[in-house]
Amino acid sequence: MDKISIKGQNKLNGEVVISGSKNSALAIISATILANGICRIENVPDISDVRVILDILVKLGAQVTYETNNILVINTINIKSYTVPYDMVKSIRASYYLIGALLGRFGEAEVELPGGCDFGYRPIDQHIKGFEALGTDIVIEHGLIRAKAEKLIGDKIYFDVVSVGATVNVMLAAVAAEGVTILENVAKEPHVVDLANFLNAMGANVRGAGTDIIKIKGIGKLQNNVNHTIIPDQIEAGTFMVAAAATRGDVIVRNIIPKHMESLSAKLAEMNVNIEVGDDYVHVIGNGAMRKANIKTLPYPGFPTDLHPQMAVLLSLCDGASAITEGIWDLRFQYVEELNRMGAHITTEGVTAFIKGPCSFIGTGVNTTDLRAGAALVIAGLVAEGETGVDRVNLIDRGYESFVNKLRNLGANIKRV
Ligand code: EPU
């Protein structure tokens, strides 16, 4: 299996262009199943999670044409099957969106329980609660979810926890339901808004995405041909911003929506990193002494959990004691052992990582445990003395397009081997 080899201590310098959002693309590509028209989608990130979901669509009967690596035309008119085979879903978490989309299209879906990054138990009780409220019978047997609705009927659903996945999934089914669905305590992430815009362009009537309440007037089949551009990836942008600061570099992170980056930009500024915000870019200059900080990860607009491991690297470089409290994934601490092997001083207690800095990272062989942990290990390798080998690059490929090339273009001494 490929690994990433890095010779550390080069400052990142220059400009990087951010790709389309992974989590938006996964939701929107799933949503094309609802279309009775042709969907042309731009700014699709060329990453393995996207390739997997596209393969599933093709297996179900869709036609996917590439205008370029990042512009796709998807025709789902001929999809006939509502059964998704296990070998295809096991590697990606977002395969559960196929339940909502297939339910909306056929009133029926059979999908194996999803895989994806392993942060321990990842329940989908809120997805199921939503589908059941819309009139769906759900049976779960040996990991297979069978969902069937004689007729989807709109309802009022209050989610017990704020869940991106449940919000997206129930939206997908609700656009095809009869009557009005009101979703309360929903996720407000930018990709939820992007999906709502895409569904509306296809003819749906979704209002309120980006607030705590989403109202959907079900309209059955979505008829319009649609042309949509996926929003930039907030987490890829954040990863490069952190890498720039960690290497004391000078990097312009382009093609982003700065509003989506506010929680990170504010935290970096608090740490004394120089941040200049433009219309569609953030300029990060990491030349001063960085200050320690405390972080709590929360649903959007709070600090994103998917930047937690990367920030642990940056805080390790600051003088004093910092803490990151995880508000989403209780077990998102597998990166700690590997960073400590590189020289960090991180201990955990409950859902908090206590970080004592400054540390000197020393290059060594490390093991990627999940997508964002992998990105954090690469950043640690960029600042480390000597050579770092990051294993299991396939996990990083799930969510970062051309990660190694983009870093090399910024001056990193990095290669894939
Ligand atoms: N939860 C429940 N019940 C549910 C669903 C979720 O209790 O039915 C809990 C989870 O256990 C968690 C919290 O609610 O504690 C939030 O989970 P959420 O459903 O929001 O997460 P997700 O939809 O499974 C997406 C991203 C993750 C990201 C989280 C949080 C996709 C494909 N994945 O996961 O992305 O960490 O939202 O923002 O959109 C990543 O990109 O590296 C990644 C893991």
Side-chain angles (χ1 to χ4, degrees):
M1 203 173 282
D2 283 6
K3 72 175 190 181
I4 292 175
S5 169
I6 309 155
K7 286 196 183 123
Q9 299 197 322
N10 281 3
K11 291 181 181 201
L12 296 187
N13 249 296
E15 300 193 1
V16 60
V17 178
I18 297 308
S19 300
S21 158
K22 165 176 86 77
N23 293 343
S24 213
L26 293 170
I28 284 173
I29 291 169
S30 304
T32 64
I33 290 177
L34 294 165
N36 200 28
I38 311 286
C39 304
R40 184 174 176 279
I41 310 174
E42 296 187 30
N43 207 30
V44 180
D46 186 8
I47 52 176
S48 66
D49 269 16
V50 162
R51 286 192 287 271
V52 172
I53 202 106
L54 287 169
D55 282 351
I56 295 175
L57 255 61
V58 169
K59 196 86 167 200
L60 293 175
Q63 279 170 290
V64 177
T65 318
Y66 284 81
E67 279 184 24
T68 70
N69 277 357
N70 304 106
I71 303 179
L72 306 185
V73 177
I74 305 179
N75 176 346
T76 59
I77 293 169
N78 294 324
I79 287 190
K80 299 273 184 297
S81 170
Y82 54 80
T83 303
V84 184
Y86 177 65
D87 55 324
M88 308 213 73
V89 302
K90 62 180 184 231
S91 66
I92 61 163
R93 182 81 192 151
S95 51
Y96 54 39
Y97 291 155
L98 299 166
I99 307 171
L102 290 166
L103 250 183
R105 168 88 178 246
F106 297 107
E108 212 159 344
E110 288 185 2
V111 181
E112 292 275 354
L113 283 173
C117 279
D118 182 10
F119 314 126
Y121 181 49
R122 293 180 71 169
I124 57 164
D125 56 300
Q126 297 303 304
H127 305 229
I128 290 171
K129 169 176 159 164
F131 294 142
E132 286 180 341
L134 299 180
T136 310
D137 290 324
I138 305 267
V139 179
I140 304 179
E141 276 173 345
H142 312 297
L144 175 75
I145 300 182
R146 283 205 185 89
K148 188 169 181 173
E150 287 309 324
K151 189 191 236 178
L152 290 165
I153 299 180
D155 200 353
K156 190 168 176 176
I157 299 156
Y158 191 98
F159 291 113
D160 303 323
V161 292
V162 176
S163 158
V164 175
T167 303
V168 165
N169 224 346
V170 179
M171 274 166 81
L172 292 174
V175 292
E178 195 179 290
V180 176
T181 299
I182 295 174
L183 306 177
E184 293 195 50
N185 198 27
V186 294
K188 294 179 280 203
E189 264 67 4
H191 33 286
V192 172
V193 179
D194 204 20
L195 172 68
N197 289 339
F198 178 73
L199 291 169
N200 287 340
M202 285 201 292
N205 188 332
V206 180
R207 300 286 170 254
T211 74
D212 292 311
I213 301 179
I214 295 178
K215 190 170 170 186
I216 301 165
K217 277 192 198 144
I219 57 143
K221 279 217 161 110
L222 303 179
Q223 300 288 355
N224 299 351
N225 289 338
V226 47
N227 205 340
H228 183 84
T229 302
I230 303 248
I231 56 167
D233 197 295
Q234 177 202 13
I235 306 301
E236 187 200 7
T239 301
F240 278 98
M241 288 168 69
V242 174
T247 61
R248 307 304 168 107
D250 181 335
V251 175
I252 298 178
V253 181
R254 288 210 180 275
N255 186 35
I256 62 162
I257 299 175
K259 174 101 192 123
H260 298 168
M261 307 313 303
E262 272 177 355
S263 61
L264 174 64
S265 297
K267 188 55 67 178
L268 293 178
E270 182 186 320
M271 292 171 67
N272 199 33
V273 177
N274 213 320
I275 301 284
E276 181 213 330
V277 179
D279 287 346
D280 64 351
Y281 69 87
V282 176
H283 185 175
V284 181
I285 307 172
N287 55 7
M290 282 188 294
R291 279 195 288 267
K292 65 182 181 158
N294 294 331
I295 294 174
K296 178 159 173 57
T297 68
L298 287 169
Y300 188 84
F303 196 94
T305 175
D306 294 334
L307 289 173
H308 164 166
Q310 300 91 315
M311 284 306 286
V313 177
L314 195 62
L315 292 172
S316 290
L317 300 169
C318 301
D319 197 6
S322 300
I324 304 179
T325 299
E326 178 55 48
I328 311 289
W329 303 117
D330 291 358
L331 299 179
R332 178 163 235 171
F333 294 96
Q334 287 116 320
Y335 70 88
V336 169
E337 203 178 315
E338 298 303 290
L339 283 187
N340 283 348
R341 290 204 311 111
M342 292 182 74
H345 304 288
I346 307 176
T347 52
T348 57
E349 208 181 298
V351 294
T352 302
F354 294 97
I355 301 162
K356 214 169 121 206
C359 81
S360 301
F361 284 110
I362 309 282
T364 184
V366 281
N367 185 29
T368 297
T369 50
D370 64 76
L371 167 59
R372 308 304 174 186
L377 293 172
V378 169
I379 297 173
L382 293 173
V383 290
E385 190 186 319
E387 194 162 342
T388 301
V390 180
D391 254 349
R392 299 177 74 196
V393 182
N394 60 312
L395 289 173
I396 297 176
D397 292 339
R398 290 188 43 210
Y400 290 93
E401 177 174 327
S402 306
F403 196 40
V404 167
N405 285 343
K406 287 183 181 182
L407 286 168
R408 197 183 307 117
N409 288 342
L410 291 172
N413 190 340
I414 184 169
K415 63 181 179 203
R416 201 180 166 109
V417 287

